Amino acid sequence: MPAEELRSLLPALGNKHYFNFGGQGPLPTPSLEAMVACWRELQRLGPFSRDVWPFVEAETSALRRRLAQLCGVPPHRLSLTENVTSGCVLPLWGLPFEPGDSLLLSDAEHPGVVAACQELARRQGLTISWFSARDCRSDAALLESLEAALEPSTRLVVLSHLLWNSGLAMPIEAVAARLKPHPRQPWLLVDAAQSMGSLELGGVPAAADIYAFTGHKWCCGPEGLGGVALSERVLEQSQPTVIGWRSLRNENSSGSQWHHDGRRFEVATSCIPLGAGLRSSLDLLEQLGNVQQRQAVICKRSARLWNGLQQIPGVQTVVKEAPPASGLVSFTIDHTPAQAAVSALADQHFQLRSLEDPLCLRACTHVFSTESEIDQLLEAISQL
């Protein structure tokens, strides 16, 4: 399918120049239709009838297999969640920390994950330390920064696969390898909010202990559905913290043991049709090419934007050496507050967002971003 044809299936792209895929991807019409069809079938069968449960199990299993395949892990290591935050927090808070253990976070993590770690530390008497990721421009520099910050008490390391504020990809597999010989063998939590659907994941999800992602950003699925790939040791060591009937091997018995697999971190009733919508969106994206081909297009578009920004006086990109190998491009405009610039561009039908740390604008290019609208965005920025 040509990108132009897929673009025509996204109503949100019909009346604007959309550069907010890192916040939320627009939902294709066929995905909405798949959700409605699933809802209709649930009602036809009866939402809590004898005959509906095989259908629900088939839908859930198909989604779990699909997401596990994307992560390169077996389905039993995949938990279905609502979003990245729940994918991080549910297994994280069940890990066996001890007072005095240290959590090591990069300085480029999303506030939602940071807040969850800070509250965990407060409740369990843990300490938090930081290492630099935002200013590291090479894998070697990142690993050196990590090495300098590791302590004998480090029990968990938190690092995003793709930094949400700069667009830089992190060497997660190398980080995982570095943590293995550490005396405490720290768990590795990876925020994959920006990488799922935009990067070739390779062995990264399998290398992490907690790899949490969502379907509503670069995958263009519905909001309210995500997943988390878990290591075998997390499945063995972490206990559920938010507990419901789906966590239990026998849902009819409160004395039942937990599921031994990723289902132990699934809580209760979820919206089944969301899975049909996400699978439809993934099918449509795959019609544009495999993940390597799609990433190449995304990076080509973001490089066009990054290179164009270098030519505009008074504009500085957050990443200055070369365009990031992702679809995220962050930048500032001299004498123009970021939020004011976002509003002024929105008046011209360009949808971007502002970030506070660092204070900047962020534009995201996807496979159906066109060279023409990127050039138009550059012209609008130059006029500011």
Side-chain angles (χ1 to χ4, degrees):
M1 178 187 295
E4 295 79 8
E5 184 176 343
L6 176 55
R7 186 181 174 94
S8 70
L9 299 177
L10 299 165
L13 302 186
N15 58 355
K16 64 183 70 69
H17 303 294
Y18 193 77
F19 293 94
N20 270 336
F21 300 101
Q24 183 162 345
L27 186 70
T29 298
S31 301
L32 176 59
E33 293 171 345
M35 292 162 59
V36 173
C38 185
W39 257 304
R40 285 175 175 157
E41 183 64 8
L42 286 170
Q43 296 306 312
R44 187 189 70 80
L45 293 169
F48 206 84
S49 65
R50 179 202 65 184
D51 295 337
V52 79
W53 298 114
F55 175 76
V56 169
E57 177 59 29
E59 288 288 306
T60 303
S61 296
L63 177 63
R64 192 187 312 278
R65 289 194 303 270
R66 185 66 173 278
L67 297 180
Q69 182 183 34
L70 290 176
C71 291
V73 300
H76 77 272
R77 286 175 53 184
L78 198 290
S79 292
L80 301 176
T81 65
E82 292 183 339
N83 44 53
V84 174
T85 301
S86 60
C88 290
V89 172
L90 293 178
L92 169 63
W93 279 37
L95 290 171
F97 291 101
E98 299 176 357
D101 283 346
S102 177
L103 312 179
L104 179 58
L105 282 66
S106 94
D107 62 354
E109 299 311 306
H110 191 277
V113 176
V114 173
C117 289
Q118 289 174 331
E119 179 61 13
L120 174 67
R122 186 191 69 80
R123 294 189 181 197
Q124 299 201 21
L126 314 177
T127 62
I128 292 181
S129 55
W130 308 85
F131 70 102
S132 177
R134 184 184 303 162
D135 296 328
C136 293
R137 296 298 183 256
S138 69
D139 291 355
L142 186 283
L143 293 172
E144 181 179 349
S145 175
L146 173 71
E147 186 74 38
L150 283 171
E151 302 172 346
S153 61
T154 302
R155 197 69 176 96
L156 174 84
V157 172
V158 179
L159 179 63
S160 294
H161 188 179
L162 182 62
L163 301 187
W164 74 296
N165 35 27
S166 70
L168 293 174
M170 296 290 100
I172 299 299
E173 290 179 279
V175 169
R178 171 58 190 89
L179 296 181
K180 283 186 178 180
H182 187 281
R184 300 298 303 280
Q185 293 190 318
W187 296 292
L188 176 58
L189 185 155
V190 177
D191 180 337
Q194 300 299 335
S195 51
M196 175 62 74
S198 70
L199 297 183
E200 181 184 3
L201 303 183
V204 171
D209 289 292
I210 300 173
Y211 188 86
F213 58 91
T214 181
H216 77 266
K217 295 181 184 286
W218 297 89
C219 294
C220 296
E223 62 268 35
L225 179 59
V228 55
L230 302 164
S231 67
E232 294 288 358
R233 64 173 180 163
V234 166
L235 291 177
E236 294 171 0
Q237 298 170 9
S238 183
Q239 298 298 312
T241 48
V242 179
I243 296 163
W245 60 267
R246 282 175 64 190
S247 311
L248 302 173
R249 296 178 68 183
N250 180 357
E251 66 184 64
N252 295 311
S253 172
S254 59
S256 172
Q257 293 182 337
W258 314 124
H259 281 295
H260 294 310
D261 56 22
R263 290 174 294 174
R264 66 168 49 196
F265 300 109
E266 297 173 10
V267 181
T269 304
S270 297
C271 183
I272 299 301
L274 297 181
L278 178 55
R279 297 202 319 272
S280 173
S281 292
L282 293 172
D283 288 342
L284 288 168
L285 287 173
E286 288 181 356
Q287 292 186 45
L288 297 177
N290 59 38
V291 63
Q292 297 95 333
Q293 293 168 328
R294 298 199 307 272
Q295 182 180 345
V297 173
I298 289 172
C299 292
K300 181 180 179 182
R301 298 289 187 265
S302 67
R304 186 182 187 92
L305 176 59
W306 186 91
N307 286 318
L309 291 171
Q310 310 307 312
Q311 309 306 314
I312 302 176
V315 172
Q316 291 83 36
T317 52
V318 170
V319 176
K320 297 180 172 24
E321 294 78 9
S326 71
L328 280 70
V329 179
S330 297
F331 60 97
T332 61
I333 305 174
D334 287 352
H335 313 300
T336 306
Q339 187 55 51
V342 167
S343 180
L345 290 168
D347 289 340
Q348 302 177 62
H349 308 293
F350 295 97
Q351 303 297 320
L352 286 73
R353 71 162 294 181
S354 61
L355 306 180
E356 293 189 4
D357 188 18
L359 189 59
C360 63
L361 292 87
R362 189 187 71 184
C364 304
T365 62
H366 210 320
V367 288
F368 23 72
S369 301
T370 67
E371 294 183 353
S372 173
E373 68 179 347
I374 291 171
D375 293 342
Q376 292 176 60
L377 173 61
L378 290 167
E379 176 61 26
I381 292 171
S382 70
Q383 295 302 317
L384 291 180

